[in-house]
Amino acid sequence: MASQDEQDPRISKISSAIRVIPNFPKPGIMFQDITTLLLDTKAFRDTIDLFVERYGGKDISVVAGIEARGFIFGPPIALAIGAKFVPMRKPNKLPGEVISEEYSLEYGTDIMEMHVGAVQAGERALIIDDLIATGGTLCAAIKLLERVGVHVVECACVIELPELKGRERLGDKPLFVLVSST
Amino acid sequence: MSAYRDKDPRIHGIQSKIRVVPNFPKPGIMFQDITTLLLDPKAFKDTVDLFVERYKGKNISVVAGIEARGFIFGPPIALEIGAKFVPLRKPKKLPGRVISEEYELEYGRDCLEMHLGAVEPGEQALVVDDLIATGGTLCAAMKLLERVGADVVECACVIELPDLKGRERLNGKPLYVLLESH
């Protein structure tokens, strides 16, 4: 499911609070800037509420957020639903023992890390990021959690770029987004 | 002022959740790891509550958080006190027009950026980060906000390393921390 079939009335204000910046980080890319959403206190509150309404009371004990914009949306959701927050980071940022997952970029590869012991086998988890494009980063996050026996219930993003087909890259994992941008 | 000295009953629980990792990122440094605090929903909530209780109803309209761990604590505080959240980032991460402030590291220099237009002159602001060490980053953050005419009311961190004298580097701006670590 993408977003509500009858669109929740809060969605249009959230969508209009997102700024599109052409040609960032390189020519041809229309960058979806969520920092303007964070300046609109009601729209930011609504964004969090929409996720909390979906995930509260569903026995989810882990919210994993992807560095760095996943750190903005993940913790408020985790706090509201009573889950722990687990940061998924670029290499060499987490100080303790980590497990690493390599993933493909357009050119080359990158690595995502998670602390060993942050999650237990059998826990139910959400993964949060601001946006899903190709799905490569979310896919790496799913793998990290599944490698330690966690059940990933859903991936949740504010924005989806459907033309990049990230949803398909997640395989059998459901994806929930608030705004679809073409 | 620190809550540690005030001996709020929640402080002990918060302190006990912070993990010290020796020799990270280099030999001799005892790294204060807040990720273990985030794994305890009650202690994480207590951390946020302590800041919210201090700042709610004080007419603060901006919470500025320093990349990346300031992104974890800043937004929940901002949402609870009804302020906007403004991310302060490393160079070239923010997509729109920015102002930049350079600051010194132990070896070399780094740069902190803020979006133009995020903050209006006269707004009252908090700066949030997980930890204050030498105070260089917080100092740069305050300068960015002051350059656009905001009034920095206070800097707020979970942890202070008082031996590094960061408090003195804040040019008289108040600093509020929950814990000290020697």
Side-chain angles (χ1 to χ4, degrees):
Chain A
M1 169 156 65
S3 50
Q4 312 306 86
D5 287 314
E6 280 196 10
Q7 190 169 271
D8 186 289
R10 292 168 285 185
I11 296 281
S12 80
K13 290 278 171 56
I14 291 168
S15 185
S16 63
I18 294 163
R19 173 171 70 163
V20 179
I21 307 259
N23 303 314
F24 184 90
K26 55 185 200 189
I29 305 231
M30 302 294 280
F31 189 90
Q32 303 283 324
D33 179 19
I34 51 88
T35 68
T36 43
L37 170 63
L38 310 176
L39 300 179
D40 180 333
T41 51
K42 182 176 190 316
F44 184 22
R45 171 88 260 151
D46 287 346
T47 302
I48 299 301
D49 285 351
L50 281 158
F51 291 117
V52 170
E53 287 162 20
R54 183 175 179 83
Y55 299 119
K58 300 273 165 64
D59 204 25
I60 288 164
S61 59
V62 176
V63 173
I66 298 178
E67 171 165 18
R69 290 183 289 265
F71 289 10
I72 295 173
F73 297 98
I77 296 167
L79 285 161
I81 70 174
K84 49 179 133 170
F85 178 71
V86 177
M88 314 289 262
R89 300 209 66 172
K90 303 280 185 187
N92 306 314
K93 302 289 187 76
L94 292 170
E97 212 199 324
V98 296
I99 57 168
S100 302
E101 183 74 28
E102 203 174 333
Y103 61 102
S104 297
L105 299 172
E106 189 180 10
Y107 298 107
T109 61
D110 206 342
I111 291 175
M112 182 180 295
E113 296 187 336
M114 179 175 76
H115 267 147
V116 168
V119 293
Q120 315 298 320
E123 292 205 77
R124 288 162 51 80
L126 288 185
I127 303 174
I128 306 281
D129 208 355
D130 65 321
L131 179 145
I132 174 171
T134 62
T137 326
L138 278 167
C139 208
I142 293 168
K143 286 182 181 159
L144 276 172
L145 290 163
E146 290 185 335
R147 276 167 60 188
V148 294
V150 165
H151 172 51
V152 176
V153 172
E154 195 157 84
C155 295
C157 302
V158 180
I159 305 160
E160 176 184 16
L161 304 180
E163 288 161 1
L164 297 179
K165 304 193 189 302
R167 189 179 285 267
E168 290 166 19
R169 197 154 165 194
L170 302 184
D172 62 346
K173 288 303 167 199
L175 170 71
F176 175 73
V177 304
L178 303 185
V179 171
S180 200
S181 182
T182 36
Chain B
M1 166 152 69
S2 82
Y4 182 72
R5 292 195 210 101
D6 296 342
K7 294 211 175 14
D8 185 289
R10 292 167 286 185
I11 291 290
H12 181 256
I14 293 167
Q15 174 139 51
S16 69
K17 294 297 173 182
I18 292 164
R19 172 171 71 163
V20 180
V21 182
N23 302 312
F24 183 89
K26 53 185 200 188
I29 306 228
M30 302 295 279
F31 190 89
Q32 304 283 324
D33 179 19
I34 50 89
T35 68
T36 42
L37 170 63
L38 309 177
L39 299 181
D40 183 326
K42 181 184 186 313
F44 184 19
K45 183 175 189 314
D46 286 346
T47 303
V48 173
D49 285 350
L50 280 158
F51 292 117
V52 170
E53 287 161 21
R54 182 175 178 81
Y55 299 120
K56 198 165 195 170
K58 300 274 166 62
N59 211 32
I60 289 164
S61 59
V62 176
V63 173
I66 299 178
E67 171 165 16
R69 291 183 290 264
F71 288 9
I72 295 173
F73 296 98
I77 296 167
L79 284 161
E80 283 292 313
I81 71 174
K84 45 182 148 177
F85 178 71
V86 176
L88 304 183
R89 299 209 67 174
K90 302 283 186 185
K92 305 191 170 17
K93 302 292 188 76
L94 292 170
R97 282 184 69 210
V98 298
I99 58 167
S100 301
E101 182 73 29
E102 219 176 44
Y103 62 101
E104 288 192 9
L105 300 170
E106 189 182 9
Y107 298 108
R109 307 175 71 86
D110 206 341
C111 203
L112 204 61
E113 296 188 337
M114 178 173 77
H115 267 149
L116 277 172
V119 175
E120 309 286 320
E123 292 204 77
Q124 302 226 85
L126 286 184
V127 183
V128 175
D129 207 355
D130 65 321
L131 180 144
I132 174 172
T134 63
T137 326
L138 276 168
C139 204
M142 282 182 351
K143 286 184 181 161
L144 280 171
L145 289 160
E146 290 178 340
R147 278 166 60 188
V148 296
D151 175 34
V152 177
V153 172
E154 196 157 84
C155 294
C157 302
V158 180
I159 304 161
E160 177 183 13
L161 306 181
D163 299 341
L164 296 178
K165 304 191 190 303
R167 193 178 281 268
E168 292 164 28
R169 198 156 163 192
L170 301 183
N171 291 326
K173 277 299 171 194
L175 169 71
Y176 176 74
V177 303
L178 302 186
L179 308 164
E180 293 177 2
S181 182
H182 296 268

